[in-house]
Amino acid sequence: MHNPSQVRAHGALRPGQAGRSLTIASILAASALGACQTTPAANSGYLSSYDGMARAGRNPVVALQRRRDDAASDAVRAVYIEPAAFAPQVGDRLSENERAMVQTEVDRQICFEVSERFTVTPEPSQDAATIRTAIVRLQPTGRIGSLMSAAAGYFVPVVSLRPPTSTGGLAVESELLEAGTGRQIAAIAWARNAQYVGRDSASLSRVGDALQMAEPMGDAVGDAFSSEARKVNDIPNPDPCAVFGPRRNLGRTAAGFIFGQATNLYAPEASGEGARRRAPQP
C-alpha cells in the first residue's frame, strides 16, 4: 500500500506511482481469480500398477497421488535408483541437451532425498529395492513471457507475475519395487506447474521451470517411499549422489543469486541445476 504522504492534496499520485499502482492492482486481481491449479498428468502406463493410488494433500498448486505398503517399505534398507526415463513424446520439442538437463536434475533430487532414508547402491543388487522414474509431462518455459515477467519485477519485486503462456511445468511418476520379487511397494504421481502469480522465477531457459520443480518433486518422492516410522538420516559419507556434483555449492548458489537479483530471471547454468550428468552405467 502507498503511504498517505505520497499522495498530493488533490489525491493524485506522484509521477511514476500510477503505473506501479496499476501493476499492483493487476496482481491483486489475478490473485483473486485463484492460483494456477495444476492438472494431474494422465497415467502414462510406466508404473507397474496404479491400484490404490489416492490423492494426497490439498494444495492446488501440486497434483499428487500416491500409495505405500508401510510394512514393506520399513523393511527396505538399500535401494538402486534407475536413471529417469521419458514417457513417449514427452519433451519432443526440446533439444537433447535440454532434456538431459531435466533428466539429470530429476535423478539428482531423487538421489538427494532417498539417500537420507535408504542406503543407495551404485549398481542393481538382489538385496536392493529398485526405484524407477519417468518424466511424463514437461512443459517448456516461454521466453518472451519470462522477459515480460522480469520487466514487471522492477515494479513488484516481491512476487513473480507470469503471463499464462510463459509458465512451464513438470510431472513425474515413480515407484519403489521390492528386491527379488519386483513387487510394487510404493508409487507416486506428482505434477506441478509454475504459477502466474507467485515466487516461481521466470527464465530464458526453456526448461527453467521444470528444473526449479525438480527439488520439491524429490522431496515428495522421498516422503512417498518412506513411512513416518523411518528416520531421516544425515547425508552419507561418502555421498552416493556425488556423481551429480556437490549437494551444496556456495559458489554456484551465490552466482545464481546475483544473476537473479540483477535480472529477475533464473539461470540454471549459473545455479548449477542439471549441469552434470550421471556417469554412464557399465
Side-chain angles (χ1 to χ4, degrees), residues 198-225:
R199 303 304 298 272
D200 300 320
S201 298
S203 178
L204 295 184
S205 168
R206 294 195 297 173
V207 293
D209 285 323
L211 292 175
Q212 292 178 86
M213 303 304 162
E215 183 174 357
M217 178 279 306
D219 293 340
V221 169
D223 291 341
F225 291 171

Side-chain angles (χ1 to χ4, degrees), residues 18 38 63 80 104 118-119 130-131 134-135 148 154 158 185 212 225 247 259 261-262 270:
T38 297
Y80 169 70
T104 296
F118 305 93
T119 298
T130 299
I131 292 176
I135 299 165
M148 294 170 60
Y154 169 76
V158 294
I185 295 174
Q212 292 178 86
F225 291 171
R247 295 189 189 226
F259 183 90
Q261 289 293 103

